[in-house]
Amino acid sequence: MQSSLQIKNLQLYRQGKLLLSLDEQIAGGEILTVMGPSGSGKSSLLNWLTGTLPNGFTATGEVWLNDENVSYLPTHLRHIGVLYQDALLFSHLSVAGNIAFAMPKSNKTGDRKQRSEKIEQALVQVGLAGMGSRHPDNLSGGQQARVALLRTLLSEPKAILLDEPFSKLDTQLRVDTRQLVFEQIRTHKLPAIMVTHDHSDAEAAKGKVIHLEL
């Protein structure tokens, strides 16, 4: 089945005032970029998609994921992954522990070994071979960003949201990390929505760009 994320007839309001209207469908492997000034509704759009719209905001419309209406499901059942500006890694867990935390649990015998092997294979793929036992605070910003990406991907999301995840990285690191993230999105055929202020992010995504206004 072709994966897709569909926003149907969204009308998003802040304190009763219409903030944005959207009607979009993103296929697996595609990245929709949303740009606009602060206060235009970019983050609120992501909050609505994940079911975490704060007080003061209301919305009409539906979120469809792989032909299923997930609009009324709680956040943890929507299977929508999010990458933020900060890696948000747990300091009390190792690199492998951070990734394992988000992985679907199974009661099968030998599951722990399989999970460990899967984590190590994923670390190798992003250039972090042998770093599973490392403490996340001892990693560089780029390494932390890659661990956050793996944690999101191995949680087996059906779609992924990018909330300015490259904004705190220096120029070259931003380019390399962005390329890795986009490659993984396309490899896993995940529909993605990226919020950004940076036009180079939009160009690199090679998808449709929506500009929001105040």
Side-chain angles (χ1 to χ4, degrees):
M1 180 179 66
Q2 175 68 37
S3 60
S4 68
L5 173 62
Q6 189 170 6
I7 299 170
K8 287 189 176 181
N9 305 315
L10 169 62
Q11 302 274 307
L12 181 59
Y13 300 87
R14 179 172 54 207
Q15 297 177 338
K17 181 182 178 182
L18 182 64
L19 191 59
L20 63 89
S21 299
L22 216 55
D23 201 35
E24 294 289 337
Q25 182 160 355
I26 305 103
E30 291 183 351
I31 303 166
L32 171 68
T33 300
V34 180
M35 304 187 73
S38 297
S40 60
K42 301 187 303 298
S43 294
S44 301
L45 169 63
L46 301 189
N47 289 336
W48 175 73
L49 286 164
T50 56
T52 57
L53 203 59
N55 291 334
F57 292 84
T58 55
T60 59
E62 296 175 341
V63 186
W64 285 73
L65 194 51
N66 300 347
D67 297 322
E68 179 188 1
N69 186 353
V70 301
S71 309
Y72 307 103
L73 293 179
T75 300
H76 69 282
L77 293 180
R78 295 192 182 198
H79 300 292
I80 298 176
V82 188
L83 276 181
Y84 297 97
Q85 288 183 21
D86 297 303
L88 302 177
L89 302 178
F90 299 117
S91 290
H92 68 286
L93 294 176
S94 66
V95 166
N98 268 275
I99 297 170
F101 180 85
M103 293 174 72
K105 302 295 188 291
S106 170
N107 295 321
K108 295 179 182 177
T109 304
D111 179 57
R112 181 172 293 183
K113 182 183 178 184
Q114 291 176 357
R115 286 156 64 88
S116 295
E117 290 174 351
K118 191 172 184 179
I119 290 169
E120 184 52 42
Q121 289 171 1
L123 289 169
V124 169
Q125 289 175 356
V126 300
L128 298 177
M131 292 193 181
S133 60
R134 292 274 293 274
H135 192 282
D137 291 351
N138 295 330
L139 301 181
S140 68
Q143 290 171 332
Q144 289 184 0
R146 281 178 272 172
V147 174
L149 171 64
L150 292 184
R151 182 173 63 181
T152 299
L153 291 175
L154 268 64
S155 71
E156 299 179 9
K158 296 177 181 176
I160 190 167
L161 308 179
L162 309 173
D163 190 0
E164 303 198 49
F166 319 119
S167 63
K168 293 191 175 181
L169 302 176
D170 63 45
T171 305
Q172 188 54 51
L173 194 54
R174 183 188 189 109
V175 171
D176 294 343
T177 304
R178 183 173 62 204
Q179 181 179 353
L180 174 65
V181 170
F182 291 172
E183 283 176 354
Q184 291 297 316
I185 287 170
R186 290 171 182 132
T187 298
H188 291 264
K189 293 182 169 57
L190 293 170
I193 297 178
M194 174 175 63
V195 161
T196 183
H197 284 97
D198 194 300
H199 288 280
S200 66
D201 288 347
E203 291 173 3
K206 298 178 180 177
K208 182 176 180 179
V209 181
I210 293 175
H211 294 273
L212 302 180
E213 299 177 359
L214 283 174

